[in-house]
Amino acid sequence: MEENKIIRTIGVLTSGGDAPGMNAAIRAVVRSGIYNGFKVKGIRKGYVGLLNGEIEDMTARSVSDIINRGGTILQTGRSKELMTIEGQQKAVNMAHVFGLDALVILGGDGSFRGAHDLSKLGMPFIGVPCTIDNDIDSTEYTIGFDTCCNTVQDAIDKIRDTAYSHERCSVVEVMGRNAGHIALNVSVACGAEAVILPEKPFDFNTDIIKPIIEGRNRGKQHYIIILAEGIGGAVEIAKRIEEMTGISTRATILGYIQRGGSPTPRDRVMASLMGTKATQLLKEGKYNRLVVRRNNQITDVSVEEGMAMKKSLDEYMYEVNNILSL
Ligand code: F6P
């Protein structure tokens, strides 16, 4: 890391999948950045906009009335060009053209990998974890997770109403890429009969059919099976359940409703705290770090440490889920 780099102007961008609370984080970065004496510029469409020079000045008023809005006012993107060394050099050059001394990256692990690459070419950054997946190991929380789980819970509660009325089984596929954190949390919250996660090997007969049949024998009249996106195949699984059990079964793939919507208080508060921490770190001359939540505190780790491991499942939550789904 280069030492004592003087940072006067920072650029903020949102990258990868959008997450509810990103706007609250942009607001926090812009306002705390100004408070800490920086000039703040907004970069549109993530790294795509950085490469194209879609960069504009931001003021405290640019971020009025956005704390409650889902999505990201800066828009987001995924850039293949940034994966090449030529693209990375181009991005750093463009940052210099617009006088950016450091970047604040609001996104997930892929976005931080991109920022890490740029930092090796001399562009300092701070990463703020924003992804509905909550799959970044170094932080207990990523902005967007709570809103997403609320949306999924609301959807599953509605599916349960109709599953009960028709004595059906519902297979519900939820997002999370290759991580089962959303699936496991909503499984506990919604009392699902079974949850199928990418982190856990599963056997169709033992882990899906058996709990359904045993539940029926105990008097259950409807069943919710939650399937993580990383497993996939909800329609096929529903068909097989119906064939094997004779229970009318439907598949629902919740899809992109999980990424939208007004952020919950938790996401707005986390975004405000983490976004502010990002500019405070820059003010202290710290960079190439990730803002993280650990032991109920907002703190920071080096990007190397922050990206080193894959986040594991909460095993106790998994155990509780199995006990209570009886
Ligand atoms: O990372 C957030 C996420 O919503 C994942 O859960 C999902 O796998 C992915 O983004 C979908 O991304 P895309 O916008 O490319 O379809």
Side-chain angles (χ1 to χ4, degrees):
M1 161 172 134
E2 291 172 52
E3 298 298 335
N4 301 324
K5 209 168 165 67
I6 295 170
I7 294 169
R8 294 192 182 88
T9 304
I10 60 178
V12 56
L13 63 79
T14 49
S15 167
D18 61 349
M22 269 183 165
N23 279 328
I26 295 170
R27 172 180 177 272
V29 170
V30 171
R31 292 199 175 160
S32 69
I34 293 167
Y35 174 86
N36 284 317
F38 298 118
K39 196 168 164 34
V40 187
K41 299 193 182 198
I43 303 164
R44 292 206 162 270
K45 301 172 198 162
Y47 294 114
V48 177
L50 178 59
L51 286 158
N52 293 336
E54 294 181 63
I55 300 169
E56 61 202 51
D57 291 346
M58 298 199 80
T59 69
R61 292 283 70 75
S62 322
V63 290
S64 295
D65 291 325
I66 66 167
I67 196 167
N68 55 318
R69 283 169 57 187
T72 157
I73 58 159
L74 288 174
Q75 301 180 289
T76 183
R78 290 190 169 106
S79 167
K80 286 218 168 76
E81 199 180 347
L82 201 88
M83 291 176 183
T84 66
I85 183 71
E86 294 77 18
Q88 290 157 17
Q89 192 57 64
K90 190 172 153 194
V92 170
N93 292 345
M94 193 58 86
H96 288 147
V97 168
F98 282 83
L100 302 180
D101 303 311
L103 301 174
V104 177
I105 308 294
L106 312 182
D109 51 359
S111 311
F112 299 153
R113 264 191 291 280
H116 192 202
D117 290 335
L118 301 189
S119 71
K120 291 178 199 154
L121 299 174
M123 179 51 57
F125 84 99
I126 299 291
V128 177
C130 296
T131 164
I132 61 166
D133 299 345
N134 202 19
D135 62 347
I136 299 174
D137 185 53
S138 51
T139 182
E140 287 156 9
Y141 192 73
T142 63
I143 294 160
F145 180 67
D146 188 59
T147 308
C148 170
C149 287
N150 272 273
T151 301
V152 175
Q153 174 184 279
D154 182 56
I156 293 177
D157 285 350
K158 287 174 177 155
I159 290 169
R160 174 190 289 280
D161 290 344
T162 170
Y164 171 79
S165 304
H166 289 262
E167 293 192 26
R168 268 185 182 145
C169 173
S170 273
V171 177
V172 185
E173 184 180 312
V174 303
M175 275 186 166
R177 206 185 296 271
N178 293 314
H181 308 290
I182 298 171
L184 180 56
N185 274 265
V186 295
S187 179
V188 173
C190 296
E193 272 57 47
V195 58
I196 310 301
L197 306 166
E199 293 89 345
K200 296 277 176 192
F202 87 101
D203 175 80
F204 191 79
N205 288 338
T206 318
D207 299 315
I208 299 184
I209 298 299
K210 197 157 165 262
I212 293 174
I213 301 290
E214 285 178 349
R216 182 167 63 186
N217 293 344
R218 280 195 300 270
K220 283 197 179 184
Q221 295 186 343
H222 64 99
Y223 316 84
I224 303 285
I225 310 295
I226 296 177
L227 190 67
E229 179 186 11
I231 305 285
V235 174
E236 184 54 32
I237 287 176
K239 214 168 135 223
R240 281 178 69 192
I241 292 172
E242 185 162 307
E243 278 164 10
M244 288 184 72
T245 63
I247 297 167
S248 168
T249 304
R250 296 287 188 270
T252 306
I253 298 169
L254 289 182
Y256 290 93
I257 63 162
Q258 296 166 93
R259 284 226 301 245
S262 180
T264 59
R266 178 162 170 79
D267 277 323
R268 296 182 197 195
V269 171
M270 281 297 151
S272 302
L273 300 181
M274 287 180 162
T276 300
K277 181 75 175 177
T279 68
Q280 284 173 343
L281 289 171
L282 291 172
K283 173 96 173 164
E284 289 163 20
K286 289 182 169 179
Y287 42 83
N288 303 341
R289 304 187 69 77
L290 306 183
V291 175
V292 295
R293 178 85 169 164
R294 280 184 177 178
N295 303 320
N296 276 345
Q297 302 289 323
I298 303 296
T299 179
D300 57 290
V301 293
S302 73
V303 61
E304 291 85 2
E305 185 192 336
M307 306 285 295
M309 309 254 290
K310 180 173 162 43
K311 190 177 205 164
S312 51
L313 269 190
D314 183 331
E315 290 296 331
Y316 181 62
M317 194 181 291
Y318 186 69
E319 185 192 333
V320 167
N321 184 64
N322 288 341
I323 294 170
L324 300 184
S325 64
L326 283 179

